[in-house]
Amino acid sequence: MKKLLFVLLVLLSVPATAQNILFAPRVGLNLADMTNAGGDLKPGINIGLAGEYMLSEGFSIESGLFYSMQGTKVSENGVTVKMKNDYINIPVYAKAYLAEGFNVFAGPQFGFKVSEKVEASLIGVSYSEDLDMIEPFDFSIGIGFGYQFKQGLQLSANYNLGLTNTIKALSSFNDIEFLDDVNSKNNVIQLNVGWRF
């Protein structure tokens, strides 16, 4: 893990004047859910900076650093509960340009939790509390496609499939283990817009 982060930092620290290094600030919509939570897609945003290293005219490696609002939303009997889990995500994608501007990409993503909160509301009354039940690290696989306009505008859509359990086994209370066998993974659809320079 440390070696991977070192390689990413080296790639992103290469001078931007190199012709095969491209950068793109990017922002977009997240539609997030957690498996086995019985919830609906929770909207949020993701924002960050991508760096793309062109290996050839039609193939590149893309990484970056993104702040991502994730979690899930459950609504039942007039009560709405939102799990708000925010991450710093580092994707590492292999990216292929199949036609002029059109590209597909896939690869691993490493997520580091920065905050978690549960928010509940009932008939206009809201309650929120910080929690500590989500694992600090998340690993997922991302796959997607995009279009790169010649002027610099880029559009993309991707799906991140979580592979690690996000729920911690909480401590026991009166010899009862809480959430000891719960397995829940992050799933996120992302629709992004950026500008490459």
Side-chain angles (χ1 to χ4, degrees):
M1 180 65 181
K2 290 181 181 178
K3 291 180 182 178
L4 174 64
L5 291 175
F6 175 75
V7 170
L8 290 175
L9 290 174
V10 169
L11 286 175
L12 292 175
S13 66
V14 174
T17 56
Q19 291 183 353
N20 57 347
I21 302 288
L22 305 165
F23 292 96
R26 198 175 288 159
V27 64
L29 171 69
N30 278 1
L31 296 172
D33 190 19
M34 296 169 66
T35 62
N36 298 324
D40 300 317
L41 294 176
K42 183 183 86 63
I45 64 166
N46 71 88
I47 186 169
L49 179 67
E52 187 173 357
Y53 181 74
M54 300 300 299
L55 297 171
S56 67
E57 187 175 328
F59 188 75
S60 68
I61 299 295
E62 182 180 277
S63 186
L65 198 65
F66 295 90
Y67 183 84
S68 182
M69 296 178 176
Q70 298 174 199
T72 191
K73 178 177 70 172
V74 179
S75 297
E76 191 172 325
N77 299 325
V79 179
T80 300
V81 178
K82 294 180 183 178
M83 288 289 299
K84 296 184 172 184
N85 307 327
D86 295 352
Y87 291 85
I88 295 294
N89 287 332
I90 303 173
V92 183
Y93 294 142
K95 193 172 185 180
Y97 289 84
L98 304 180
E100 184 176 341
F102 181 74
N103 59 79
V104 295
F105 53 90
Q109 177 175 267
F110 307 91
F112 303 89
K113 183 190 74 175
V114 292
S115 70
E116 68 175 280
K117 180 182 289 188
V118 65
E119 184 178 278
S121 61
L122 172 64
I123 317 173
V125 178
S126 296
Y127 170 80
S128 67
E129 184 174 343
D130 295 335
L131 296 177
D132 187 23
M133 60 182 282
I134 301 296
E135 294 286 356
F137 177 73
D138 181 56
F139 179 72
S140 60
I141 295 293
I143 184 168
F145 62 92
Y147 192 85
Q148 177 66 56
F149 293 87
K150 290 182 180 179
Q151 299 86 351
L153 177 68
Q154 57 180 214
L155 304 174
S156 65
N158 61 285
Y159 178 69
N160 297 331
L161 174 66
L163 299 178
T164 54
N165 185 15
T166 60
I167 304 292
K168 290 180 180 178
L170 299 185
S171 58
S172 61
F173 177 75
N174 289 340
D175 297 324
I176 300 173
E177 292 291 332
F178 289 96
L179 299 178
D180 195 33
D181 58 351
V182 173
N183 194 303
S184 183
K185 299 177 175 71
N186 285 314
N187 290 324
V188 186
I189 298 168
Q190 296 182 317
L191 305 171
N192 287 342
V193 61
W195 191 272
R196 190 170 79 174
F197 58 91

